[in-house]
Amino acid sequence: VLFPMSIDSKIPENSPVRLVNRIVDELDLRSIDFGYKGGGNSSYHPRMMLKVLFYAYLNNVYSCRKIAAQLEQNIYYMWLSGDQRPNFRTINNFRSLRLKDNIHGLFIQVVYMLVEMGYITLKEIYIDGTKIESKANRYTFVWRKSVERYKEKLEAKVRGILSQIEEGIAQDNQPDDDPPTPINSKELKQRIAAINKENKTKKELKQIKDLENKHLPKLEEYEQKLAIMGDRNSYSKTDPDATFMRMKDDHMRNGQLKPSYNKQVGTENQFFTYYDIYYNPGDTLTMIPFFKGFKKSYEELPNKACADAGYGSEENYEYMESEGIVAYVKYNYFHKEQKRSFKNNSFIQQNFYYNQKEDYFVCPMGQHMHRIKDITRENKTGFISHLAVYKAKRCEGCPMRGSCHKSKRSREIEVNHKLREYRRKARERLTSEEGLKRRSRRPIEPEAVFGQMKYNKSYNRFRHAGIDKIKMDFGIFAIAFNILKLHRKMTKKQKATQNPYKYSKTLLFRVNLSSLNQKTRVLSFKEKTLDKVAV
């Protein structure tokens, strides 16, 4: 052609690539710019690299090699990069090194943009979690119980060898009923060094050599595995940060445990407002760290929180009440107690009559159950729950004993009065008009986001090893997801303003159709069609 064609003329005005370009231009990248030392060959600008990464993740392209190929083939990527073509190593280094510590700050900036535009408020949050499989090998597992059992056997073996070699050791003087003390690698080294190798038989020298070259390295290996495991029950050899969890959407459909991460997200209007990734498979212990991270990022907590029964614990209720959060959070048997079978079962502890003034429960037979003692229980985070134990005076000869309990003694029940009060308040909120509204919206908030993420965006398995890189990768995905959601909402709003008659006509049709009488609704298909045209 006589005059070269402009790439910009080929990009539609309502294309999401233009929105990516505008949003990244507004981001503050000083934290990334400070990471460049300068000197040598000139680097690619981080703003251009971010645009390419966000647009690639927006289009389900997560591989650096595929992104590099798009920069040479796709006109949208060429327009974003200014026809610059970094190779896949450059893209990967930028993503892994530059964004690992800065991507969360960029995510917060994008969320604040959505707040300024009026799409979210950060005053309410819908919390849920999902398990995503790691890239680790599915069969390189290390289990805590196995390691502890092997370590205990090795300690017994080492203890027996030392008792044969050493003279006058403490174990020989101990009574037989005392439990054996555990031996660690440091103590074993000291005891081996303290053994006088002179005047030892060949058998004893061989045992000392086995302790040094065989048993000591194995003991150190077991201690290292337990240190990597921490509070968890398992980990993967190829990705030590991954924990083996049972997944609902297992690709083999056989319920096997897979190395995975528990990803917790908070959404509002189907936008990601916060995310975090945890090792433990359950959701209960993740809520308080999630809120603390939210507060650290936005300097305040949401006013209202909605979550499913996996978060309904005494510790979580107490934290939300202390922070002034109105909790629409279910507990484990919330739906079960709504059923008639539960309400009519007089033998369930929750249905016992409680006299708060005199502090006693009444069993189905009318016998008073008085408090006999108080106990405490501590969970993994150190939170202590106080429970009261109530016992019936005499259950012998009771005609309802077979239906009431199976114990040979009189029935005892453990009651957490504080948790009972929290659950009563939660029940009142969840069954109120506002609670019904929140409960009906919760499935279309985080659940819909998870569906879009796993099935529409094909983000159902992590592509990196290590929790730091996984957080980096998901941070890029969350930003791209929010940008795509923003583009769709803006496009929908723009269409509504351009042709308001179309939408008002549809609404009018729905209202008139819903007001038709029963006789009109049973018309034949042909008559229905004519009636719709008339409406």
Side-chain angles (χ1 to χ4, degrees), residues 470-482:
I470 284 175
K471 287 183 178 181
M472 171 273 302
D473 188 71
F474 186 76
I476 301 174
F477 174 83
I479 294 174
F481 186 92
N482 283 351

Side-chain angles (χ1 to χ4, degrees), residues 24 27-29 31-33 35-36 46-54 57 90-107 275 468-477 479:
V24 177
L27 295 178
D28 182 6
L29 304 183
S31 59
I32 300 179
D33 292 339
Y36 291 90
R47 205 174 293 274
M48 181 274 294
M49 300 289 287
L50 280 176
K51 293 177 182 179
V52 172
L53 278 175
F54 291 164
Y57 275 62
T90 304
I91 298 172
N92 185 54
N93 290 337
F94 176 79
R95 183 175 65 176
S96 301
L97 302 178
R98 305 293 177 186
L99 294 184
K100 186 171 67 173
D101 299 326
N102 301 306
I103 189 63
H104 189 69
L106 300 179
F107 170 78
Y275 66 90
D468 293 335
K469 289 187 177 180
I470 284 175
K471 287 183 178 181
M472 171 273 302
D473 188 71
F474 186 76
I476 301 174
F477 174 83
I479 294 174

Side-chain angles (χ1 to χ4, degrees), residues 33-75:
D33 292 339
F34 289 153
Y36 291 90
K37 297 180 180 179
N41 194 13
S42 59
S43 305
Y44 290 103
H45 200 284
R47 205 174 293 274
M48 181 274 294
M49 300 289 287
L50 280 176
K51 293 177 182 179
V52 172
L53 278 175
F54 291 164
Y55 187 68
Y57 275 62
L58 186 144
N59 288 282
N60 304 1
V61 181
Y62 309 113
S63 169
C64 290
R65 293 180 184 270
K66 292 182 179 180
I67 296 174
Q70 292 293 323
L71 287 169
E72 297 182 357
Q73 302 168 2
N74 196 312
I75 190 174

